[in-house]
Amino acid sequence: MTAEPAQKDLSKTAYDHLWMHFTRMSSYENSPVPTIVKGEGTYVWDDKGRKYLDGLAGLFVVQAGHGREELAEAAAKQAKELAFFPVWSYAHPKAVELAERLANYAPGDLNKVFFSTGGGEAVETAWKLAKQYFKLTGKPTKYKVISRAVAYHGTPQGALSITGLPGLKAPFEPLVPGTHKAPNTNIYRAPSFLTAPDGTVDPEAYGRWAADEVEQAILFEGPETVAAVFVEPVQNAGGCFPPPPGYFQRLREICDRHDVLLVSDEVICAFGRLGTMFGADKFGYQPDMITCAKGMTSGYSPIGATIISDRLAEPFYKGDNTFLHGYTFGGHPVSSAVALANLDIFEREGLNQHVLDNESAFLGTLNKLRDLPIVGDVRGNGYFYGIELVKDKVTKESFNDEEVERVLYGFLSKALFDNGLYCRADDRGDPVIQLAPPLISDQSTFDEIEQILRTSLTDAWAKI
Ligand code: PLP
């Protein structure tokens, strides 16, 4: 009998050759790189055969769940028919169909779709388009962007410039000039002048304040210099900050008052993450552009898009004007075909409605964790939640750098994974756990997440 050939140790080869993103590589010098080899539904398996609940849908991506054969088949069929052709002055059917479909889903007059290969490129596209739009319409001094503290908008240097995480930017300074930060909507840490003596905050007053701070930023820079405001419907970095009531409506008015474009960065929030095709629909506002990517194909192939209003597109569609921008793989035929098949799944299985029907059950299940001393806040929307960890629930005191390093990264991240939950423990802002499982998740998923978090957070608390 011949023995099975020994499996190559992928984990060792990963350390030797695969430069992992945002990864402290030295942490794998003497410990194996976790290597995921298979996915099915809401679960993934590693190369040792261990099963994990995918509590982050990969990276806010795998909306329809893992192992969907029809998405793999859509990719194979398209690759056989037309593997590649660019959308530079030529069209191909799948990009056309997908652009039309996105335009139909998108709110108001967002009818023009410019494809890229991911979210950061979609953000770059939006900023560049805003700049060129104002040059074409006689306002060449409008080029700056206001974005929000702690927000992540991607790694290309433009997107990084509007990112509100100084630690991520420092190694690459100087970045693109013309950016300014306004506060985000972290109501858990509202300023003291908006907090009543009993600790409560009026969400509407808070929302007015947070929106007015964006206006202050526009006025500080000078409205004649500001092109756009970039905001996520629910801000991810910092741990899921939903908008207070009325926030986006006020922001829309502010942008209109100063002729500033409102860009909804929906790289995470689009495609059902909040139970609607676009996050703007969930909160009832009309952006001038939407940037999206991740969930469009449920991750079966990469693609991104910037969806642009007719009003903004108009000058580009005249005379010899050209939007001087493009990506070789933007609107890739295979990715476009996969996106269409993915959107068919959304329609057929009612994924958005499923999220709307179950979001309060998910939040209710996570809220049970509030009895733990380490859980300061549970917040989010749809299938998108953050759990803020604190040292003192009453004072909301957070962890110091040593505790973050030792407990959050040194213990909790690994404990969650070892206990069978892939999610993210993060301290961009204050320490949080981030959860965004596939949209097919149901009560059994929520219960499993709650149980693993309860065990892991109880153990983490004992280590402080
Ligand atoms: N914008 C937001 C809101 C994001 O969350 C991300 C990525 O997580 C990006 C942009 C960048 O997307 P990508 O990593 O596809 O370039």
Side-chain angles (χ1 to χ4, degrees):
M1 209 168 94
T2 35
E4 287 280 315
Q7 288 273 321
K8 186 167 177 178
D9 184 355
L10 278 184
S11 164
K12 166 84 173 69
T13 315
Y15 175 73
D16 287 343
H17 298 295
L18 178 65
W19 199 329
M20 284 164 286
H21 299 204
F22 282 113
T23 301
R24 194 184 294 173
M25 291 302 289
S26 66
S27 62
Y28 292 122
E29 196 177 347
N30 297 310
S31 68
V33 177
T35 305
I36 303 300
V37 296
K38 176 180 145 61
E40 189 64 47
T42 55
Y43 291 98
V44 293
W45 283 259
D46 71 11
D47 56 347
K48 314 284 183 302
R50 287 208 55 204
K51 182 181 175 188
Y52 305 87
L53 179 61
D54 183 358
L56 208 58
L59 204 51
F60 313 96
V61 166
V62 190
Q63 315 298 67
H66 297 272
R68 292 277 192 166
E69 277 188 22
E70 68 188 275
L71 297 185
E73 276 158 17
K77 183 164 179 285
Q78 183 58 41
K80 285 180 203 162
E81 202 167 293
L82 175 70
F84 181 72
F85 212 77
V87 292
W88 298 42
S89 303
Y90 295 82
H92 60 77
K94 294 300 180 202
V96 177
E97 269 181 66
L98 180 60
E100 182 188 33
R101 196 146 168 192
L102 294 178
N104 287 339
Y105 288 136
D109 72 336
L110 298 199
N111 285 319
K112 303 284 191 279
V113 180
F114 194 100
F115 285 117
S116 50
T117 68
E121 288 177 355
V123 169
E124 293 287 314
T125 300
W127 189 3
K128 288 179 74 178
L129 191 133
K131 285 168 115 173
Q132 198 180 341
Y133 168 80
F134 282 116
K135 288 209 162 57
L136 286 176
T137 53
K139 295 184 176 172
T141 58
K142 279 172 97 65
Y143 68 94
K144 295 179 186 170
V145 166
I146 312 296
S147 55
R148 299 188 299 186
V150 195
Y152 178 82
H153 291 288
T155 51
Q157 294 198 52
L160 187 59
S161 302
I162 64 170
T163 286
L165 293 155
L168 283 195
K169 297 161 76 164
F172 312 107
E173 299 282 4
L175 284 164
V176 182
T179 66
H180 191 110
K181 297 293 163 299
N184 55 45
T185 56
N186 183 0
I187 196 167
Y188 179 66
R189 295 196 179 275
S192 54
F193 60 86
L194 287 169
T195 309
D198 67 355
T200 56
V201 178
D202 171 6
E204 278 166 15
Y206 176 75
R208 280 196 297 277
W209 170 81
D212 289 350
E213 285 293 305
V214 175
E215 183 165 39
Q216 286 308 311
I218 295 171
L219 292 171
F220 177 84
E221 290 293 329
E224 71 288 357
T225 70
V226 179
V229 169
F230 279 65
V231 281
E232 290 166 85
V234 175
Q235 181 173 316
N236 173 46
C240 267
F241 305 132
Y247 174 80
F248 275 114
Q249 288 65 32
R250 199 170 178 92
L251 209 52
R252 180 70 266 179
E253 284 167 22
I254 290 167
C255 287
D256 287 346
R257 188 151 55 239
H258 299 295
D259 194 13
V260 166
L261 306 177
L262 179 57
V263 181
S264 194
D265 183 354
E266 307 206 2
V267 169
I268 290 180
C269 290
F271 307 112
R273 184 51 55 204
L274 307 181
T276 45
M277 248 348 154
F278 291 104
D281 300 329
K282 188 73 178 272
F283 304 113
Y285 63 95
Q286 180 62 51
D288 297 295
M289 286 188 260
I290 288 179
T291 53
C292 56
K294 295 190 187 267
M296 201 189 315
T297 61
S298 284
Y300 286 70
S301 194
I303 196 165
T306 306
I307 312 177
I308 300 138
S309 70
D310 287 333
R311 176 177 78 92
L312 282 186
E314 197 197 51
F316 292 92
Y317 276 59
K318 280 193 184 143
D320 59 359
N321 292 337
T322 304
F323 182 31
L324 292 169
H325 184 63
Y327 300 103
T328 298
F329 289 134
H332 193 285
V334 172
S335 300
S336 302
V338 173
L340 287 163
N342 182 48
L343 294 169
D344 287 345
I345 293 178
F346 267 73
E347 301 280 0
R348 200 176 60 241
E349 299 184 10
L351 285 187
N352 286 325
Q353 192 57 46
H354 177 74
V355 171
L356 294 177
D357 291 344
N358 289 285
E359 62 179 333
S360 52
F362 192 7
L363 178 59
T365 308
L366 294 177
N367 268 329
K368 290 186 193 168
L369 295 164
R370 284 181 183 269
D371 65 351
L372 298 177
I374 197 172
V375 172
D377 196 23
V378 179
R379 57 189 177 235
N381 195 284
Y383 273 18
F384 186 31
Y385 292 97
I387 299 177
E388 182 162 338
L389 308 179
V390 290
K391 211 154 76 174
D392 186 322
K393 281 164 102 89
V394 178
T395 63
K396 302 185 182 174
E397 184 189 348
S398 198
F399 297 96
N400 62 37
D401 289 350
E402 184 276 328
E403 289 158 341
V404 164
E405 196 58 40
R406 181 170 52 81
V407 181
L408 193 75
Y409 294 121
F411 175 76
L412 187 59
S413 285
K414 189 168 174 325
L416 287 164
F417 194 62
D418 288 348
N419 289 333
L421 176 62
Y422 165 74
C423 64
R424 197 191 236 178
D426 192 270
D427 82 324
R428 296 175 301 168
D430 294 303
V432 287
I433 298 203
Q434 293 178 302
L435 297 160
L439 308 185
I440 52 170
S441 298
D442 57 19
Q443 188 60 49
S444 65
T445 323
F446 312 150
D447 289 338
E448 195 175 337
I449 289 174
E450 194 262 335
Q451 278 154 25
I452 296 176
L453 285 174
R454 181 169 291 280
T455 308
S456 310
L457 290 172
T458 304
D459 292 347
W461 182 248
K463 303 257 173 228
I464 292 163

